[in-house]
């Protein structure tokens, strides 16, 4: 499914480093680390009238990723919240909004890989757009298992929510070429990891399963689903899952901030049911409860 442009986004204001700029003027230097080497961290935030879903968890992950990469001059949560509030207010946004929050290592004094060349501090970007959920969650999505493996920790720890997304983009390209909505990525042992942009859950015999987060991002929506299951006495397990098990599931769904909960209706040409009663219950449970996870910026 290809996202479309919303005309309301033509004249949005974007926060970059020190203030708000019109969309056409919102830029970073060609010496910025995000340009030089994808050296940045990011979060996707979903805005409802009640607030931003799991805001503190997202800001904590941003901070932890930046610390792992040894960023300097990391803005505080209060500073980031102020920049988000300024951006939303400037655009009159309080619903149906997706925020791409990015923190780069900042501008270099000359091009190069060495972080010691970054001597101006980090650069915060708040890009808020009018944007519906990325997938049609009624129809579901069709996916293709790809040859591109998800990074294992010995190569690049997936717990770092970094901007170097080529691993995932290559998987998405393979799915695009095949006319599918997303690429399904395995880990280095050939167990299921995740889709190129979202986590996966499997329903089988009245239970819910999700892959271990060894080679995938343990997403915040993923953790919300696990929490809701436990609160509702729904049996849920983390375990290694093979493609064969996924093909023969009673239901499969993807989770992520941009799509929330999305049924997967086809994997590698195999039809996956989307009418399983437990899967329907889980999707409804999430829909009823997601706004209770919203947090205000105050």
């Amino acid at each position: 499914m290809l996202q479309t442009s919303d005309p309301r986004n033509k004249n949005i204001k974007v926060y970059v480093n020190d203030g708000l700029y019109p969309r056409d003027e919102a830029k970073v230097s060609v010496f910025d680390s995000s340009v030089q080497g994808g050296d940045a961290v990011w979060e996707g935030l979903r805005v409802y009238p009640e607030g931003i879903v799991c805001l503190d968890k997202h800001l904590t992950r941003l901070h932890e990723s930046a610390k792992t990469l040894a960023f300097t001059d990391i803005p505080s949560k209060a500073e980031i919240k102020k920049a988000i509030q300024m951006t939303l207010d400037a655009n009159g946004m309080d619903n149906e909004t997706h925020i791409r929050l990015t923190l780069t290592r900042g501008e270099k004094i000359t091009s190069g890989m060495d972080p010691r060349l970054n001597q101006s501090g980090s650069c915060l970007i708040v890009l808020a757009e009018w944007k519906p959920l990325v997938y049609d969650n009624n129809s579901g999505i069709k996916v293709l298992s790809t040859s591109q493996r998800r990074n294992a920790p010995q190569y690049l720890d997936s717990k770092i929510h970094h901007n170097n997304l080529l691993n995932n983009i290559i998987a998405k390209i393979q799915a695009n070429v095949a006319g599918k909505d997303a690429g399904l990525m395995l880990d280095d042992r050939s167990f299921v990891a995740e889709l190129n942009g979202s986590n996966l859950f499997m329903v089988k015999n009245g239970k819910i399963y999700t892959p271990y987060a060894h080679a995938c991002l343990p997403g915040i929506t993923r953790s919300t689903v696990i929490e809701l299951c436990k609160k509702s006495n729904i049996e849920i397990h983390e375990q290694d899952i093979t493609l064969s098990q996924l093909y023969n599931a009673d239901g499969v769904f993807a989770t992520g901030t941009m799509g929330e909960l999305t049924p997967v209706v086809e994997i590698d040409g195999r039809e996956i049911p989307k009418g399983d009663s437990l899967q329907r219950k889980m999707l409804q449970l999430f829909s009823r409860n997601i706004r209770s996870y919203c947090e205000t910026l105050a």
Side-chain angles (χ1 to χ4, degrees), residues 30-136:
V30 294
F31 289 95
D32 190 271
S33 284
S34 60
V35 179
Q36 292 278 319
D39 189 3
V41 295
W42 69 282
E43 291 293 323
L45 309 177
R46 190 77 190 162
V47 181
Y48 287 103
E50 293 83 356
I52 298 175
V53 179
C54 298
L55 175 61
D56 189 68
K57 288 183 179 179
H58 280 287
L59 297 186
T60 296
R61 188 169 66 184
L62 187 82
H63 272 178
E64 290 180 350
S65 295
K67 180 180 180 181
T68 300
L69 295 177
F71 279 22
T72 60
D73 191 30
I74 301 171
S76 68
K77 288 183 179 180
E79 291 171 318
I80 297 172
K81 288 180 180 180
K82 181 179 178 181
I84 293 172
Q85 189 69 70
M86 287 174 59
T87 307
L88 293 177
D89 289 347
N91 292 310
M93 295 169 169
D94 66 358
N95 195 16
E96 297 182 347
T97 300
H98 177 266
I99 298 173
R100 177 73 174 225
L101 185 66
T102 304
L103 185 68
T104 84
R105 196 183 296 273
E107 189 174 342
K108 293 177 177 290
I109 56 173
T110 185
S111 62
M113 187 183 299
D114 192 339
R116 292 174 297 181
L117 300 175
N118 296 79
Q119 299 178 11
S120 301
S122 57
C123 174
L124 179 67
I125 302 168
V126 184
L127 172 58
E129 296 179 275
W130 300 101
K131 185 175 289 192
L133 296 177
V134 65
Y135 294 128
D136 179 347

Side-chain angles (χ1 to χ4, degrees), residues 18-291:
D18 58 357
L20 291 163
Y21 297 86
R23 174 177 177 153
D24 292 344
E25 299 175 21
K27 299 174 174 64
V28 295
S29 167
V30 294
F31 289 95
D32 190 271
S33 284
S34 60
V35 179
Q36 292 278 319
D39 189 3
V41 295
W42 69 282
E43 291 293 323
L45 309 177
R46 190 77 190 162
V47 181
Y48 287 103
E50 293 83 356
I52 298 175
V53 179
C54 298
L55 175 61
D56 189 68
K57 288 183 179 179
H58 280 287
L59 297 186
T60 296
R61 188 169 66 184
L62 187 82
H63 272 178
E64 290 180 350
S65 295
K67 180 180 180 181
T68 300
L69 295 177
F71 279 22
T72 60
D73 191 30
I74 301 171
S76 68
K77 288 183 179 180
E79 291 171 318
I80 297 172
K81 288 180 180 180
K82 181 179 178 181
I84 293 172
Q85 189 69 70
M86 287 174 59
T87 307
L88 293 177
D89 289 347
N91 292 310
M93 295 169 169
D94 66 358
N95 195 16
E96 297 182 347
T97 300
H98 177 266
I99 298 173
R100 177 73 174 225
L101 185 66
T102 304
L103 185 68
T104 84
R105 196 183 296 273
E107 189 174 342
K108 293 177 177 290
I109 56 173
T110 185
S111 62
M113 187 183 299
D114 192 339
R116 292 174 297 181
L117 300 175
N118 296 79
Q119 299 178 11
S120 301
S122 57
C123 174
L124 179 67
I125 302 168
V126 184
L127 172 58
E129 296 179 275
W130 300 101
K131 185 175 289 192
L133 296 177
V134 65
Y135 294 128
D136 179 347
N137 289 346
N138 292 317
S139 299
I141 58 174
K142 298 179 179 181
V143 307
L144 173 83
S145 60
T146 69
S147 63
Q148 186 70 21
R149 293 296 193 257
R150 194 66 172 93
N151 287 321
Q154 67 264 41
Y155 303 117
L156 182 58
D157 191 350
S158 62
K159 310 310 176 285
I160 307 169
H161 207 210
H162 55 79
N163 277 50
N164 193 330
L165 298 173
L166 286 177
N167 184 234
N168 307 68
I169 290 170
I170 291 170
K172 176 60 174 169
I173 290 170
Q174 291 182 13
N176 288 350
V177 170
K180 304 304 178 184
D181 299 302
L184 192 159
M185 305 181 73
L186 307 179
D187 65 18
D188 59 323
R189 303 166 302 147
S190 294
F191 289 108
V192 172
E194 61 181 350
L195 297 186
N196 62 270
S198 50
N199 293 124
L200 281 171
F201 287 80
M202 177 182 82
V203 182
K204 186 70 174 180
N205 296 331
K207 302 174 185 177
I208 295 179
Y209 302 85
T210 192
Y212 289 121
H214 296 324
C216 70
L217 182 75
I220 290 170
T221 308
R222 175 185 182 271
S223 67
T224 300
V225 168
I226 293 172
E227 181 180 324
L228 286 171
C229 284
K230 292 179 178 178
K231 285 182 177 179
S232 304
N233 295 316
I234 296 171
E235 192 169 345
I236 184 163
H237 302 274
E238 291 183 83
Q239 68 173 53
D240 286 328
I241 298 172
T242 68
L243 268 177
S244 178
Q245 288 175 303
L246 215 58
Y247 294 154
N248 291 287
D250 298 327
V252 176
F253 60 92
T255 65
T257 301
M258 285 191 67
E260 295 191 344
L261 268 59
T262 305
V264 176
V265 298
E266 180 188 289
I267 304 173
D268 295 340
R270 281 80 160 179
E271 182 179 346
I272 310 298
K274 68 170 185 173
D276 179 82
S277 59
L278 179 55
Q279 177 162 303
R280 291 202 308 271
K281 177 181 179 179
M282 192 66 245
L283 269 62
Q284 292 165 1
L285 186 65
F286 183 89
S287 180
R288 288 197 307 267
N289 285 276
I290 187 57
R291 296 190 183 211

